[in-house]
Amino acid sequence: MKVANTDWNQVWADRVRANRAVPGFRTGKDLWEEKKVAAEYRVPTDRVAATLARLPLMPRLSVLDIGAGPGTLALPLAREVQSVTAVEPAAGMMSVLEEKARVRDCRNIRAVQKRWEAVDPACDLEGPYDLVVASFSLAMENLAASLEKMDAVASGSIHLFWFADLPGWERHYLEIWPPLHGAPYSPVPKADVVFNLLWQMEYHPNLVQMPLIQEEYFRDLEEAVAHYAPKFGVAGAGEEEVVREALGRWLVREGDGLVLRERSRAAHIWWEKEGD
């Protein structure tokens, strides 16, 4: 099957550039450079379990985790497989990952602090890898080149997890960005572009949708404002008040605290490495 007429890599690149050009928007690496901010990053344990359940894990496997963050998958993977190479560009995220690995005595995790685009497989990696995983870490402008590199370092299967529709945080960005920064927010490209690009590249991918639930709990409104202000690019008291008003509408009281609960859908896209 070939997806003709549309240059899906160009579609992806155009949408990534539009997202990065949004006034006041901070990209992933920039946002997570500080260890304090990175340490606050949370993924629900049930989502981590659901992701791991979709991977063909065995004790003897070598795994490459691209965009590893604070070790969301790398740390639990290290208990299930022989070795994990974690690629993560943000200094804050890498610091949290390495600290957690030391505390948990995960000696089979090898960390590479680089953007995937800058990784030199011959110098930085120890492949080929039985399993390559990129979980919500596809913000590369030239996605085709990044996917080709993933396939090149794999000996088994490649697994991508990405947004199938607008995640809750993007719905909030669409609402708050005009009053906050005087400009519209441009969403990241979604899994349909990834899937079509892979078909165009003749990698013959599979796709299954899965629920994406994110829950953030706070003691009070001020804690929520402090948490979201960096993500929303707040630069002054006036902008902070815009965030406070929006969070006052979005947050739901539960017990003695507040929760921001977001539901959407994700896509698990994967393909098997084909022999030469």
Side-chain angles (χ1 to χ4, degrees):
M1 173 181 177
K2 292 186 178 181
V3 184
N5 304 321
T6 299
D7 183 343
W8 290 105
N9 196 46
Q10 189 63 53
V11 171
W12 178 274
D14 290 344
R15 294 182 188 177
V16 167
R17 283 196 291 266
N19 176 257
R20 291 176 178 172
V22 171
F25 184 66
R26 300 178 68 186
T27 62
K29 182 179 182 300
D30 177 50
L31 181 61
W32 306 115
E33 280 293 288
E34 297 180 22
K35 183 177 179 181
K36 179 182 178 181
V37 178
E40 296 178 352
Y41 183 83
R42 298 285 186 275
V43 175
T45 55
D46 56 347
R47 189 175 112 192
V48 174
T51 300
L52 294 175
R54 293 178 179 274
L55 302 177
L57 301 179
M58 290 183 287
R60 63 173 177 78
L61 298 184
S62 61
V63 178
L64 175 64
D65 182 10
I66 300 169
T72 302
L73 295 181
L75 292 166
L77 278 169
R79 298 194 297 266
E80 303 288 337
V81 301
Q82 182 172 308
S83 65
V84 178
T85 296
V87 176
E88 170 55 46
M93 287 293 197
M94 183 58 73
S95 180
V96 173
L97 187 159
E98 292 179 330
E99 183 176 294
K100 288 182 177 180
R102 286 193 299 270
V103 169
R104 302 182 190 189
D105 197 28
C106 294
R107 302 182 185 183
N108 60 339
I109 296 179
R110 179 173 177 267
V112 178
Q113 188 182 333
K114 283 189 174 183
R115 295 167 58 247
W116 177 242
E117 301 95 308
V119 167
D120 180 349
C123 300
D124 301 320
L125 304 180
E126 297 177 346
Y129 296 92
D130 301 301
L131 200 63
V132 174
V133 181
S135 181
F136 300 100
S137 56
L138 295 180
M140 305 100 170
E141 188 168 317
N142 187 344
L143 185 59
S146 295
L147 295 171
E148 286 176 350
K149 189 187 294 186
M150 293 180 201
D151 190 75
V153 301
S155 59
S157 55
I158 301 92
H159 298 258
L160 313 176
F161 296 87
W162 193 244
F163 308 102
D165 61 3
L166 279 173
W169 58 268
E170 281 205 316
R171 292 195 293 270
H172 294 150
Y173 278 26
L174 286 168
E175 179 181 339
I176 201 174
W177 228 255
L180 186 61
H181 294 291
Y185 172 77
S186 182
V188 297
K190 300 301 183 286
D192 59 330
V193 182
V194 182
F195 187 80
N196 284 329
L197 173 57
L198 284 166
W199 271 111
Q200 200 164 59
M201 297 171 70
E202 299 187 349
Y203 281 145
H204 311 123
N206 307 280
L207 184 150
V208 173
Q209 291 193 51
M210 56 190 290
L212 185 61
I213 301 173
Q214 183 71 43
E215 296 177 331
E216 296 281 1
Y217 291 88
F218 305 98
R219 290 188 300 272
D220 52 35
L221 180 58
E222 294 312 306
E223 184 183 35
V225 171
H227 175 80
Y228 281 104
K231 296 182 179 182
F232 291 157
V234 168
E239 292 181 355
E240 185 175 291
E241 190 55 37
V242 173
V243 173
R244 182 176 287 104
E245 187 277 331
L247 286 170
R249 291 184 283 105
W250 299 339
L251 290 163
V252 176
R253 180 160 296 282
E254 287 191 5
D256 296 331
L258 298 168
V259 61
L260 185 59
R261 184 172 290 110
E262 303 167 340
R263 289 185 170 87
S264 58
R265 292 175 296 172
H268 173 201
I269 303 172
W270 76 98
W271 70 97
E272 296 286 339
K273 173 78 174 191
E274 296 186 1
D276 296 329

